[in-house]
Amino acid sequence: GDNPIENPTADRLGRRVAAEHLAADLRDVDASEGYVVAVTGPWGSGKTSLVNMIRKALADRPELPVIDFNPWMFSGASQLVEFFFQELSAQLRIKGGSLAKIASDIEAYGELLSPIALLPVIGDWFDRARQTAGKFKRYQEHKRGSVTDQRKKLAEVLGKLALPLVVVIDDIDRLETGEIRDIFKLVRLTASFPNVIYLLAFDRERVEQA
């Protein structure tokens, strides 16, 4: 079938060693100013299987925290930004410990970057309906500081992490052309944060066409 493998023991193409080397490289890379690495290949070539094996290797001690972001869950640039930071903060809270402590800073930064969707009097009816009084109050509090100030604060917090975060974004090439561009705008926007490593998987030819 077309389903990717989940465990290195199912590797029948001899890619496990390559995945382990890539994971080791991610551990050793200088991520003080962020880092981006891509796994590229045509549809069906096994990119997701390779990413899954990298993920398993990163789970070895010391474990690098891996955050998955599914770009299929958004529609439009503003929603992409909002969902990305919401998902990132939610997964960090689940992991607990020092990671949970920076979740609020990440969420606050994301809200500053998508203010139109947060205002109940602007945007489409869906955005208006889903706003809550609490969320709007948080936005009012966060907007008092500039995006630059919040970004600096978040960078300082991330810079203190003992280990970098690995953010995995897969199946980028299966998105619509405009959505592919939005994904790379998002990565460009956030890739310079310290201790944040992006692991992207896509068909390079399809992405270049977009």
Side-chain angles (χ1 to χ4, degrees):
D2 188 46
N3 293 334
I5 64 172
E6 299 292 337
N7 196 296
T9 57
D11 174 35
R12 299 174 64 183
L13 299 178
R15 294 176 175 174
R16 178 176 183 171
V17 174
E20 291 172 348
H21 280 301
L22 283 167
D25 288 342
L26 292 180
R27 291 179 182 277
D28 293 338
V29 73
D30 179 8
S32 60
E33 295 183 356
Y35 203 80
V36 182
V37 62
V39 174
T40 64
W43 288 352
S45 58
K47 298 183 295 296
T48 301
S49 294
L50 185 63
V51 169
N52 287 342
M53 287 191 286
I54 294 173
R55 188 195 318 273
K56 288 289 185 182
L58 292 176
D60 294 337
R61 302 250 177 222
E63 179 181 1
L64 259 61
V66 177
I67 307 295
D68 288 287
F69 179 64
N70 185 351
W72 291 62
M73 298 174 62
F74 77 91
S75 176
S78 63
Q79 198 178 92
L80 165 64
V81 171
E82 184 178 3
F83 278 151
F84 175 77
F85 287 102
Q86 283 182 355
E87 184 68 15
L88 191 62
S89 61
Q91 293 191 37
L92 288 175
R93 285 192 177 97
I94 292 173
K95 292 181 182 297
S98 60
L99 297 179
K101 296 179 181 179
I102 67 174
S104 296
D105 292 318
I106 290 176
E107 190 173 35
Y109 181 68
E111 289 180 354
L112 277 176
L113 293 178
S114 55
I116 293 180
L118 290 167
L119 292 173
V121 294
I122 302 177
D124 60 30
W125 284 104
F126 174 76
D127 280 333
R128 297 183 201 180
R130 67 193 177 90
Q131 304 313 318
T132 64
K135 190 172 185 180
F136 182 64
K137 181 180 179 180
R138 289 199 306 274
Y139 170 68
Q140 292 284 64
E141 293 171 350
H142 295 325
K143 77 172 184 177
R144 293 172 188 165
S146 69
V147 173
T148 302
D149 291 339
Q150 187 65 38
R151 180 183 178 88
K152 182 179 179 180
K153 177 183 177 182
L154 180 56
E156 290 175 352
V157 173
L158 289 169
K160 295 177 182 178
L161 290 177
L163 295 170
L165 305 173
V166 179
V167 180
V168 176
I169 308 180
D170 196 1
D171 288 334
I172 298 174
D173 47 25
R174 298 179 184 271
L175 298 171
E176 298 294 332
T177 295
E179 294 170 339
I180 291 175
R181 290 200 294 263
D182 288 340
I183 282 289
F184 279 90
K185 287 179 182 177
L186 173 68
V187 172
R188 183 65 187 90
L189 175 71
T190 57
S192 59
F193 277 122
N195 284 326
V196 178
I197 300 174
Y198 281 92
L199 177 58
L200 312 178
F202 56 86
D203 179 343
R204 179 169 180 167
E205 183 177 350
R206 165 74 181 113
V207 167
E208 287 180 345
Q209 290 172 352

